[in-house]
Amino acid sequence: MRLASASDMATLSRLLVQLYACEVPGMLRGDRDMQTELARRLLSSAPLGRRYVVVHDAEVVAMGSLATRAEPRPATPPGVLLAFPSILGVRDALGSYAGVLRAMLTVAAPPAVAEAQIHSVVVDVDARGNGAGTLLMACLERQATALGNKRATLQVLASNSTARAFYRARGYVDKGPPHGRVRTALALPSILMYKNIV
């Protein structure tokens, strides 16, 4: 386990595309290589912050991030959004814009005081089932505790039964929908989960 670095960018970009395919289905449209380029630009446009990676045989096989009240999740830079048509093509860009809007409505509010938000957790599809996810979650929780937080939260699609079971097996419990009724109706159906880490 270690903090992600700029040298990991190509792998992080591929992992981010895998994450979007599972957690925000349909958000990115078109050619997979172009989606990866878009993910690279997104990752390159903001500090990597508290993004951690699991390395196996010198290869990054998983990543996850931690946000706190003091260090919230970075916003999507407008320049990346404006680049959609030139990267994906106009038709796929229009579909992706609709997906991005829905994703922005879906993302939970920043964490409360003494609460850390675990996000962007993904294990490479070829490395799943080998313990990388468990190692990653344990690391993120340790880091959250070291920063003085008492609770870890995360958000997952309601339909992602595999991820929900994975988190439940690690002590997370359902907290409920992340938003009020109106926003929940427009967003992708998701739930918040939490775990007391102190």
Side-chain angles (χ1 to χ4, degrees), residues 17-18 40 55 97 100 113 116 118 127 154 165 171 190-191:
V17 170
Q18 289 184 32
R40 186 194 65 75
V55 180
Y97 281 138
V100 168
V113 174
I118 293 172
L154 54 87
S190 64
I191 59 165

Side-chain angles (χ1 to χ4, degrees), residues 34-186:
M34 294 300 98
Q35 291 182 31
T36 303
E37 171 58 18
L38 200 59
R40 186 194 65 75
R41 291 193 190 192
L42 179 64
L43 289 167
S44 300
S45 65
L48 288 171
R50 295 191 179 277
R51 187 176 302 267
Y52 295 86
V53 294
V54 177
V55 180
H56 179 70
D57 289 339
E59 297 288 330
V60 171
V61 296
M63 73 171 180
S65 297
L66 201 59
T68 62
R69 179 59 67 118
E71 294 179 78
R73 292 172 77 159
T76 302
V80 175
L81 294 173
L82 293 172
F84 274 35
S86 64
I87 297 172
L88 300 175
V90 174
R91 183 176 176 181
D92 288 326
L94 290 174
S96 295
Y97 281 138
V100 168
L101 178 59
R102 198 161 186 213
M104 291 169 83
L105 290 169
T106 302
V107 172
V113 174
E115 187 175 87
Q117 187 180 70
I118 293 172
H119 67 93
S120 305
V121 172
V122 60
V123 177
D124 186 272
V125 67
D126 295 326
R128 291 177 188 167
N130 294 318
T134 299
L135 181 65
L136 179 61
M137 290 299 294
C139 170
L140 292 168
E141 290 168 9
R142 279 195 309 275
Q143 295 301 321
T145 302
L147 292 169
N149 297 289
K150 298 180 178 178
R151 175 183 279 194
T153 65
L154 54 87
Q155 182 179 9
V156 64
L157 282 188
S159 61
N160 193 341
S161 57
T162 301
R164 290 175 69 184
F166 172 80
Y167 295 129
R168 282 190 186 120
R170 276 137 200 88
Y172 287 81
V173 296
D174 293 359
K175 186 177 180 181
H179 310 293
R181 193 179 332 173
V182 173
R183 189 167 167 187
T184 296
L186 298 171

Side-chain angles (χ1 to χ4, degrees), residues 21-41:
C22 288
E23 284 297 316
V24 198
M27 184 178 92
L28 293 182
R29 311 282 175 97
D31 181 78
R32 193 66 171 243
D33 288 340
M34 294 300 98
Q35 291 182 31
T36 303
E37 171 58 18
L38 200 59
R40 186 194 65 75
R41 291 193 190 192

